[in-house]
Amino acid sequence: MAQLTSTLQIKAIDAASTTLTRVANKITQLSRVAKTASLGTVMRKDATRVSRAATNTSTSIAAPLALIGRYGYMAAYNFEKVKNKIEAVGSKVDPLTGNLTALNDADMTKLSATFKGLNKDFPFTNSEIAGAALELFKAGMKLEQVYGTLGPTLQLAQAGDIGREEASDIATNVLTAMRLPMETAEQARASVIKVADVLSYAANASNTDVRKMGETFKY
């Protein structure tokens, strides 16, 4: 009887163990599913965050790039506009005949290269440098003279803290009033350097500025 009872207990335990094992397996599967679902949720949330970050980054980058693109377009447009004005009013001396002739494409290409070269030496845009050259042409200077005076004129603008076009106007007014030599590019350059030096020195040594000194020298 005792042996039969023991046998029945063992069978009951085995049966119970089998059932408990199935339950445990089910619980493990459910746990894995739950973890997978949670992981999927986290992954979806992370993907959403990444997507939002990418969108925000794209937007934050696109806006400045659009602004730079627009600025670049306007800068190029203004540069071309000033060059067109220079081509309309500028002239040069024909080395063969000594007569004045209009500027051609080769002259404008060389001028553009000069403006861009000066852009590396002075804190002015290509359009601003071209504007200073335009004022020199409008004052009656020829191409060769502009090549000689443009650099020193920009130095005068920088030293006197005045506009490029105003510096060009002051320089040409003083050159004309004082009748300084400016037939060749070398003469024009030397004369403008002399004007810039005198104006800057006088402005620094007295209670005045380059603008007032330039106005005085006109007379």
Side-chain angles (χ1 to χ4, degrees):
M1 185 70 179
Q3 185 177 359
L4 178 60
T5 302
S6 297
T7 302
L8 291 174
Q9 287 176 343
I10 291 172
K11 288 182 179 180
I13 291 172
D14 289 341
S17 297
T18 302
T19 302
L20 289 173
T21 300
R22 291 198 198 100
V23 173
N25 289 337
K26 290 293 183 183
I27 291 173
T28 301
Q29 291 174 4
L30 289 173
S31 177
R32 288 174 180 171
V33 170
K35 287 181 179 179
T36 303
S38 299
L39 179 60
T41 302
V42 171
M43 290 177 66
R44 285 195 298 273
K45 289 182 179 179
D46 287 344
T48 302
R49 293 193 191 100
V50 171
S51 177
R52 288 175 181 171
T55 301
N56 293 337
T57 302
S58 176
T59 302
S60 63
I61 292 175
L65 285 178
L67 182 60
I68 292 172
R70 178 176 175 79
Y71 176 79
Y73 168 78
M74 291 303 299
Y77 171 76
N78 290 332
F79 186 41
E80 290 301 319
K81 185 167 66 173
V82 178
K83 287 198 300 180
N84 288 338
K85 292 181 180 179
I86 289 176
E87 190 173 9
V89 303
S91 62
K92 65 178 181 179
V93 178
D94 189 316
L96 298 177
T97 64
N99 299 327
L100 294 180
T101 60
L103 302 181
N104 55 36
D105 292 341
D107 296 326
M108 295 307 303
T109 298
K110 186 177 179 181
L111 266 176
S112 295
T114 300
F115 299 152
K116 293 176 182 178
L118 291 171
N119 174 258
K120 298 177 182 179
D121 300 326
F122 295 96
F124 307 130
T125 66
N126 292 331
S127 298
E128 291 171 339
I129 295 172
L134 176 60
E135 291 302 313
L136 294 175
F137 277 114
K138 289 167 65 175
M141 285 192 176
K142 310 302 180 286
L143 180 61
E144 296 76 11
Q145 296 169 326
V146 170
Y147 278 131
T149 59
L150 184 56
T153 299
L154 295 175
Q155 289 177 341
L156 177 62
Q158 193 172 10
D161 194 23
I162 57 177
R164 283 73 49 193
E165 296 178 4
E166 186 176 9
S168 298
D169 185 50
I170 290 174
T172 53
N173 287 338
V174 175
L175 286 171
T176 303
M178 303 302 294
R179 297 182 181 180
L180 296 175
M182 46 185 288
E183 292 301 321
T184 65
E186 291 74 16
Q187 287 180 340
R189 178 178 177 81
S191 294
V192 173
I193 290 175
K194 184 175 182 180
V195 169
D197 288 344
V198 170
L199 292 179
S200 298
Y201 174 80
N204 291 327
S206 61
N207 187 23
T208 185
D209 54 34
V210 170
R211 183 179 291 106
K212 293 177 181 177
M213 289 300 303
E215 193 68 23
T216 301
F217 269 96
K218 285 199 303 183
Y219 303 100

